[in-house]
Amino acid sequence: MSNVFEGYERQYCELSANLAKKCTAAGALNGEQKKQKVSEVKAGIDEAEALIRKMDLEARSLQPNIKGVLLAKLREYKSDLNNLKSEVKKIVSGNLNPSARDELLESGMADAMTASADQRTRLMVSTERLNKTSDRVKDSRRTMLETEELGVSILQDLHSQRQSLLHAHNTLHGVDDNIGKSKKILTNMSRRMNKNKWVIGGIVLVLVIAIIVILYFKFSK
């Protein structure tokens, strides 16, 4: 339920009950006092119509399920206001005999009491709905806070996992670097070993040649 609509509704109910009382009072008056009271009632009716227009605009701006309920209320209020207008027309006509005036007075009193009772009932229902809406808002807020806490916890876990993945990535990158360095060292060692083999082979070959030459000169003498 809209708080704005509730505010307009309270104003209308209070104004409607007040207009019913004034209408009843006007039926018992004569002359200028009657005209003044009727003018007050007409001004109140204009104010009531303005409130109904505001409630109508507010109701049509809400969700469909809420809008239907509020528009049904507005139809009742419009009907009450039309009845009040009819009573004013009867009073303004000024062709009432004493018995008709007494009947109108009794009818007005009954309408005023009915309007007052309706007002209290509507206010009680509106208050109850407002309390239920407040409870739903509190439940929604609590659920939102719980969801927010859960979201923060999930984000913290994801951040921790991201840090772990980054650390693992850096470790693997360091291992790759070490493997690359070890491969270079092994390659250099292999080259040196091959080079040493050729050097040793050359030395052995020179020694063999030297021995052959020495033996040759020795036996040739």
Side-chain angles (χ1 to χ4, degrees), residues 69-135:
V69 176
L70 299 184
L71 290 179
K73 272 189 175 185
L74 281 176
R75 285 193 290 270
E76 295 178 3
Y77 295 153
K78 289 178 182 178
S79 177
D80 292 340
L81 193 59
N82 288 331
N83 292 335
L84 190 60
K85 289 179 180 178
S86 299
E87 293 294 332
V88 173
K89 288 180 181 179
K90 291 179 183 179
I91 294 172
V92 172
S93 64
N95 295 324
L96 296 175
N97 53 38
S99 61
R101 187 168 60 248
D102 292 340
E103 182 181 353
L104 177 60
L105 182 60
E106 293 176 358
S107 174
M109 290 290 290
D111 290 341
M113 292 176 66
T114 301
S116 181
D118 289 343
Q119 178 190 5
R120 288 194 299 269
T121 302
R122 287 166 184 163
L123 288 176
M124 289 175 63
V125 172
S126 298
T127 301
E128 183 180 355
R129 288 176 178 171
L130 188 61
N131 290 335
K132 290 181 179 179
T133 303
S134 179
D135 292 338

Side-chain angles (χ1 to χ4, degrees), residues 34-179:
K34 181 178 180 179
K35 290 181 181 179
Q36 183 178 356
K37 188 64 67 174
V38 169
S39 297
E40 292 177 1
V41 173
K42 288 183 177 180
I45 289 175
D46 292 338
E47 186 179 351
E49 288 179 336
L51 287 172
I52 286 178
R53 286 194 295 271
K54 290 178 180 179
M55 284 190 285
D56 185 74
L57 290 173
E58 178 65 19
R60 294 182 186 279
S61 67
L62 300 175
Q63 297 177 353
N65 56 337
I66 300 176
K67 179 172 69 176
V69 176
L70 299 184
L71 290 179
K73 272 189 175 185
L74 281 176
R75 285 193 290 270
E76 295 178 3
Y77 295 153
K78 289 178 182 178
S79 177
D80 292 340
L81 193 59
N82 288 331
N83 292 335
L84 190 60
K85 289 179 180 178
S86 299
E87 293 294 332
V88 173
K89 288 180 181 179
K90 291 179 183 179
I91 294 172
V92 172
S93 64
N95 295 324
L96 296 175
N97 53 38
S99 61
R101 187 168 60 248
D102 292 340
E103 182 181 353
L104 177 60
L105 182 60
E106 293 176 358
S107 174
M109 290 290 290
D111 290 341
M113 292 176 66
T114 301
S116 181
D118 289 343
Q119 178 190 5
R120 288 194 299 269
T121 302
R122 287 166 184 163
L123 288 176
M124 289 175 63
V125 172
S126 298
T127 301
E128 183 180 355
R129 288 176 178 171
L130 188 61
N131 290 335
K132 290 181 179 179
T133 303
S134 179
D135 292 338
R136 287 196 294 269
V137 170
K138 289 179 180 178
D139 291 339
S140 300
R141 186 170 182 275
R142 183 170 57 253
T143 302
M144 182 184 65
L145 290 175
E146 292 175 354
T147 304
E148 184 179 357
E149 290 176 358
L150 179 61
V152 170
S153 177
I154 292 174
L155 287 176
Q156 289 176 347
D157 291 340
L158 291 174
H159 179 72
S160 177
Q161 293 176 7
R162 181 175 179 273
Q163 293 297 326
S164 298
L165 290 173
L166 289 174
H167 180 70
H169 176 74
N170 292 333
T171 302
L172 290 175
H173 184 70
V175 171
D176 290 339
D177 291 341
N178 291 332
I179 291 174

Side-chain angles (χ1 to χ4, degrees), residues 11-27:
Q11 294 179 41
Y12 174 81
C13 291
E14 293 173 0
L15 181 60
S16 177
N18 189 30
L19 289 176
K21 293 178 181 178
K22 287 184 178 181
C23 189
T24 302

